[in-house]
Amino acid sequence: MAFENPSREEIKKILEDVGTIAVVGLSDKPDRTSYMVAGAMQSRGYRIIPVNPMAAGQQILGETCYASLRDIPEPVDMVNVFRRSEFCADVAREAAEVHARTLWLQLGVFSDEAAEIARQHEMKIIMDRCIKVEEAILRPVRN
């Protein structure tokens, strides 16, 4: 069965229900796409938790950065992934371990294996879409 992203209405609902977004691969460099996208989401009221083993313990966007999803000491609603496609299955496994509800792979990132892992763990999955763009288009009213 070919992968199909949720409808725009479903994506809007996902964004309305999300509070905390762990951003895997969030750079501490302000000129990087991951930093700009996460900053934009933070400015829209989402709680951003950076995940980057190279910056663990540092502050990014005013939040403590963690080495892995497992290290985050609080629940995570969504995992937004800024990693190459070949690393996404491992991220999906970790997202399942921490009981994230949604796995979002950024623009240009695809992984059939990550999608299958997400389905097996009843996580919603979105691939090859920019969360910042979708949020700007849909303008969800957050709960």
Side-chain angles (χ1 to χ4, degrees), residues 84-104:
R84 291 193 322 251
S85 298
E86 62 264 29
F87 298 112
C88 290
D90 289 337
V91 175
R93 287 183 194 92
E94 257 194 79
E97 283 180 40
V98 301
H99 307 289
R101 296 190 316 250
T102 304
L103 180 66
W104 190 304

Side-chain angles (χ1 to χ4, degrees), residues 30-99:
D31 63 333
R32 295 287 175 90
T33 302
S34 62
Y35 189 97
M36 290 184 270
V37 168
M41 296 304 288
Q42 189 180 55
S43 74
R44 291 283 298 141
Y46 296 90
R47 169 88 190 283
I48 299 298
I49 300 178
V51 178
N52 182 336
M54 303 305 288
Q58 298 176 31
Q59 295 282 306
I60 301 177
L61 295 169
E63 295 282 350
T64 300
C65 184
Y66 296 93
S68 74
L69 294 171
R70 291 181 203 98
D71 295 334
I72 299 172
E74 60 190 270
V76 170
D77 299 320
M78 176 188 286
V79 176
N80 184 213
V81 185
F82 282 90
R83 298 287 320 270
R84 291 193 322 251
S85 298
E86 62 264 29
F87 298 112
C88 290
D90 289 337
V91 175
R93 287 183 194 92
E94 257 194 79
E97 283 180 40
V98 301
H99 307 289

Side-chain angles (χ1 to χ4, degrees), residues 5-48:
N5 275 315
S7 70
R8 278 264 161 90
E9 275 306 309
E10 290 171 291
I11 290 173
K12 183 176 182 179
K13 178 78 172 116
I14 289 167
L15 290 170
E16 287 173 344
D17 293 340
V18 166
T20 302
I21 304 172
V23 182
V24 175
L26 178 51
S27 176
D28 58 353
K29 296 173 178 62
D31 63 333
R32 295 287 175 90
T33 302
S34 62
Y35 189 97
M36 290 184 270
V37 168
M41 296 304 288
Q42 189 180 55
S43 74
R44 291 283 298 141
Y46 296 90
R47 169 88 190 283
I48 299 298

